[in-house]
Amino acid sequence: MDSKLKKMVFAKNARLEDALECCLAGGKKVAFCLDDDGILLGLLTEGDILRAFKDGATLDTPAATTMNSDPISVSDSLSFEEAKKLLGNKIQLIPRTDGKGRLTGFIDLTSSEYGFLKIKSKNITILGLGYVGLTMGLVLADTGFQVKGFDINRKLLKTLGNKKKPFFENGIDELIEEHVGNRLRLTDDIASAQADIYVITVGTPVDKRTHQPQMDAIKKASASIGSLLVPENLVILRSTVMVGTTRDVVIPELEKASGLTAGKDFFVAFCPERTAEGRALTELRQLPQIVGGLDEKSVELAARLFNEYTPTVVRTESIEAAELCKLIDNCYRDVRFAFANQVAEIAEKIGVNIHDIINMVNLNYARNSIPKPSPGVAGPCLIKDPYILDKVFQNHGMQASLLMAARAINELGAVSPADKVDAALRQKGKTLENARVCVVGFAFKGAPETSDLRDSTTLMFLEHLKEYTSDIVGYDPVAFREELEELNIGIVDSPEEGFKNADAVFVMNNHPSYKKWNLEELLPKMSHPSVFYDGWHLFGDRNFINHQDVEYMCVGVGNNR
Ligand SMILES: NC(=O)c1ccc[n+]([C@@H]2O[C@H](COP(=O)([O-])OP(=O)(O)OC[C@H]3O[C@@H](n4cnc5c(N)ncnc54)[C@H](O)[C@@H]3O)[C@@H](O)[C@H]2O)c1
């Protein structure tokens, strides 16, 4: 037994004071109780001792009464890699024993050999300060990390530098105010973005026409990091990518630009972002973080980083497994929504209410949880990730036919309301071509609320609507006015203005404020006759009983009136 270990050992008749001294002497805040033959009887941590004092123990209390008499220990022949599986956020030190149970040493994640625990002292650079990068950077800064945010978009950096939010996100103003310029420093100069840990959060769109994943930003960001990389750095890819991208695209770029070797000189992990816009700042601290690494140390380092602000880390068997986790998450959602959107179509034809039917089917029947239909499926993730996964299938000579069918249903859902309302107007002697139209809800979702217009189904719907009419006004309670103005329609600040003389009103997202509308006051402002299209079943036809010349249409509801 070496001298350091000896200092950490106390006898079974020792007092708490002796055990405390052992904890301090070893510098590990842990002490071991051995019998006269060196057999491990128990373990005491500094925390155990402090808790015992709180519960009334004194320095003279026998240490054996408060120690853990059944500590996890490992055989001294077990490899570190195997033993490490027993270590976690709570257990960072495990005694090693020989075949007779005698203490021979310990495994310690805090040792400089593994260098893991000092994660908090690491500097982090985030590449790409969009929704994912900015929210993560702010949460890291709020957790106490020194973070640099690098982005090629100078306008964005200027907005942030002026402590203005570039998009709506619950709770973001306070974090920007507190951390930007302090623990989160912004830069557009890659040379000044050197760090210990790099996180790539750049966009990974698919081509609008061909649906091919666009890899330029990932490649450029990887090359930028490669130019700064030094041994022992960790690189985390967080953007959503095709399976194989980390290994086949990111690592080669990093190695080429740095001259270093992944797994030997530096570490690489893929840790997907899974938060929902609107709840990102809360979810970042709550959702399990999936971590796939190139090797054990890559996983360990990345897991330690995320464990600093979130309680659950899920380690996958490989980088590719983690990449696939992210894709199937979103594709599954897209398919479920497509199912709801498809059955909504038949309900409309039959003349029944699919919302009621889904409620009945789901009631106390845990095997099912059918979602509700909506005007398509929107947002920068669900709209593209099925194409990214389909590309992975194609790369292996296969087709993701279910995913593509779901996409087709969901994309049709975004445009069909215009055609349906046109047909309804024609029955009233009007047409959508000559109609004044009010569109409500442009952000890609209303709840949780976001200002994000990217890949909003309302924009796809608008494109189609413009083929009918140019007399369109739009209202959204959250989206930024300057972004709405770029849509080349009239923008109004209230539903009252929007409803005025409208031949058709389309409610295209589910912002909770719409439910507070006073329809008794709003509906008479519309033109007569007219059509009200409820894309989210927020209202129900009872609100229209006194307004027979305003036809209530709703996704998934057959109109029997
Ligand atoms: N938005 C979400 O809610 C969400 C959720 C989960 C996953 N994701 C995924 O995360 C990734 C990022 O999404 P986002 O919504 O934050 O994208 P975004 O478009 O909002 O932000 C990307 C940022 O990266 C910057 N950028 C581009 N190239 C760069 C480079 N070479 N170096 C530095 N910065 C660069 C852009 O200027 C932009 O500010 C995507 O892969 C997306 O699919 C997004």
Side-chain angles (χ1 to χ4, degrees):
M1 190 182 291
D2 66 26
S3 58
K4 184 176 171 195
L5 188 57
K6 266 191 195 145
K7 287 185 194 159
M8 298 168 73
V9 168
F10 63 92
K12 63 178 169 185
N13 59 355
R15 299 169 311 130
L16 273 183
E17 184 176 14
D18 307 321
L20 187 57
E21 265 170 28
C22 293
C23 281
L24 299 175
K28 296 288 175 190
K29 301 185 178 179
V30 175
F32 305 106
C33 179
L34 306 188
D35 71 7
D36 295 342
D37 296 324
I39 291 175
L40 179 68
L41 297 177
L43 179 150
L44 253 181
T45 65
E46 191 185 63
D48 294 333
I49 297 172
L50 293 176
R51 276 188 291 278
F53 286 154
K54 204 167 154 243
D55 292 341
T58 67
L59 289 172
D60 287 329
T61 302
T65 58
T66 47
M67 75 183 179
N68 175 356
S69 305
D70 189 20
I72 294 174
S73 63
V74 290
S75 148
D76 54 8
S77 59
L78 200 69
S79 73
F80 172 71
E81 296 307 333
E82 281 302 310
K84 196 159 61 62
K85 292 181 183 156
L86 298 168
L87 299 167
N89 212 25
K90 291 222 172 85
I91 303 181
Q92 286 157 4
L93 187 145
I94 299 185
R96 278 189 181 278
T97 53
D98 64 13
K100 294 196 168 138
R102 286 182 300 229
L103 184 73
T104 56
F106 54 84
I107 296 175
D108 175 17
L109 272 188
T110 66
S111 76
S112 59
E113 184 187 349
Y114 306 116
F116 297 150
L117 262 200
K118 300 274 182 286
I119 203 85
K120 202 69 172 278
S121 67
K122 306 286 184 197
N123 296 314
I124 302 168
T125 288
I126 300 210
L127 287 93
L129 290 177
Y131 280 78
V132 170
L134 180 59
T135 48
M136 182 177 177
L138 287 170
V139 168
L140 283 168
D142 206 46
T143 309
F145 285 97
Q146 292 296 334
V147 187
K148 286 177 196 154
F150 168 74
D151 202 294
I152 53 172
N153 182 341
R154 293 213 166 105
K155 192 171 158 218
L156 169 72
L157 294 180
K158 196 167 169 214
T159 304
L160 276 172
N162 290 332
K163 305 230 173 199
K164 296 250 165 21
K165 58 174 174 260
F167 49 80
F168 176 88
E169 183 67 43
N170 267 317
I172 204 165
D173 296 279
E174 296 83 345
L175 291 183
I176 289 178
E177 182 58 37
E178 188 176 347
H179 297 305
V180 169
N182 298 315
R183 278 210 289 270
L184 174 58
R185 294 183 176 272
L186 311 173
T187 180
D188 63 355
D189 175 16
I190 191 66
S192 67
Q194 193 127 32
D196 305 305
I197 299 173
Y198 297 93
V199 186
I200 303 176
T201 54
V202 299
T204 50
V206 297
D207 183 274
K208 282 212 163 21
R209 201 176 48 79
T210 64
H211 299 135
Q212 290 293 311
Q214 308 289 287
M215 305 298 288
D216 313 4
I218 290 274
K219 282 189 189 163
K220 279 191 191 137
S222 307
S224 299
I225 295 172
S227 69
L228 304 175
L229 215 57
V230 296
E232 295 297 308
N233 283 172
L234 167 69
V235 180
I236 296 176
L237 177 58
R238 200 146 167 83
S239 306
T240 306
V241 292
M242 282 189 291
V243 177
T245 302
T246 314
R247 201 180 294 272
D248 300 337
V249 178
V250 173
I251 290 178
E253 291 287 343
L254 293 170
E255 290 183 335
K256 191 167 81 180
S258 67
L260 301 175
T261 305
K264 180 168 153 276
D265 302 316
F266 65 93
F267 306 97
V268 182
F270 178 80
C271 312
E273 173 66 56
R274 298 200 299 162
T275 52
E277 285 185 23
R279 274 202 292 260
L281 295 168
T282 311
E283 287 193 350
L284 271 168
R285 295 179 189 271
Q286 289 174 348
L287 287 184
Q289 293 291 326
I290 291 171
V291 174
L294 184 63
D295 53 14
E296 286 277 347
K297 187 162 175 183
S298 299
V299 175
E300 192 58 48
L301 281 168
R304 296 235 154 231
L305 174 68
F306 288 108
N307 259 156
E308 286 295 328
Y309 64 82
T310 192
T312 317
V313 166
V314 182
R315 296 160 196 242
T316 61
E317 66 196 56
S318 63
I319 286 187
E320 287 73 17
E323 290 171 332
L324 189 57
C325 280
K326 172 64 199 177
L327 290 173
I328 68 166
D329 243 356
N330 279 352
C331 293
Y332 175 64
R333 282 165 61 74
D334 201 41
V335 169
R336 290 181 76 231
F337 295 143
F339 176 81
N341 289 337
Q342 180 145 72
V343 293
E345 291 285 330
I346 195 65
E348 287 178 24
K349 278 279 180 293
I350 295 171
V352 292
N353 183 330
I354 202 70
H355 301 267
D356 291 345
I357 292 171
I358 291 174
N359 282 343
M360 293 174 210
V361 167
N362 284 347
L363 186 70
N364 291 345
Y365 196 65
R367 280 197 287 282
N368 277 349
S369 168
I370 303 174
K372 296 289 174 60
S374 64
V377 173
C381 292
L382 297 199
I383 214 123
K384 73 178 168 69
D385 293 357
Y387 290 115
I388 296 179
L389 185 51
D390 183 50
K391 181 71 180 157
V392 179
F393 273 73
Q394 286 177 33
N395 289 348
H396 290 82
M398 299 157 77
Q399 295 288 325
S401 49
L402 176 65
L403 304 188
M404 292 303 97
R407 259 309 62 227
I409 292 167
N410 289 337
E411 284 168 16
L412 186 66
V415 294
S416 62
D419 305 335
K420 288 174 187 170
V421 167
D422 181 50
L425 283 174
R426 280 175 191 279
Q427 284 187 354
K428 300 174 196 313
K430 288 186 166 182
T431 67
L432 199 51
E433 269 140 36
N434 298 314
R436 176 182 167 79
V437 175
C438 171
V439 180
V440 176
F442 287 82
F444 80 83
K445 62 182 176 184
E449 58 184 7
T450 175
S451 62
D452 195 351
L453 300 185
R454 292 174 307 166
D455 299 312
S456 165
T457 40
T458 312
L459 302 191
M460 297 169 214
F461 165 74
L462 189 63
E463 228 171 272
H464 187 49
L465 183 64
K466 281 179 175 172
E467 291 168 14
Y468 282 104
T469 177
S470 57
D471 192 1
I472 306 170
V473 293
Y475 167 72
D476 189 293
V478 187
F480 291 178
R481 192 179 175 104
E482 52 280 19
E483 289 181 30
L484 291 173
E485 274 164 3
E486 285 171 20
L487 302 175
N488 292 325
I489 54 172
I491 302 303
V492 292
D493 291 320
S494 66
E496 285 75 13
E497 281 178 80
F499 275 61
K500 208 164 158 196
N501 300 328
D503 299 295
V505 169
F506 291 88
V507 177
M508 297 300 285
N509 77 11
N510 58 342
H511 192 270
S513 65
Y514 310 153
K515 284 199 153 199
K516 296 187 188 139
W517 284 350
N518 184 345
L519 288 180
E520 286 304 315
E521 281 179 15
L522 288 174
L523 295 178
K525 293 184 190 298
M526 292 180 70
S527 161
H528 302 283
S530 52
V531 177
F532 181 99
Y533 186 83
D534 180 358
W536 286 83
H537 196 240
L538 298 177
F539 301 99
D541 57 5
R542 264 182 304 178
N543 289 291
F544 292 77
I545 287 168
N546 295 331
H547 306 276
Q548 291 289 319
D549 48 358
V550 180
E551 181 175 341
Y552 175 71
M553 295 181 75
C554 178
V555 63
V557 180
N559 203 339
N560 285 326
R561 279 177 46 196

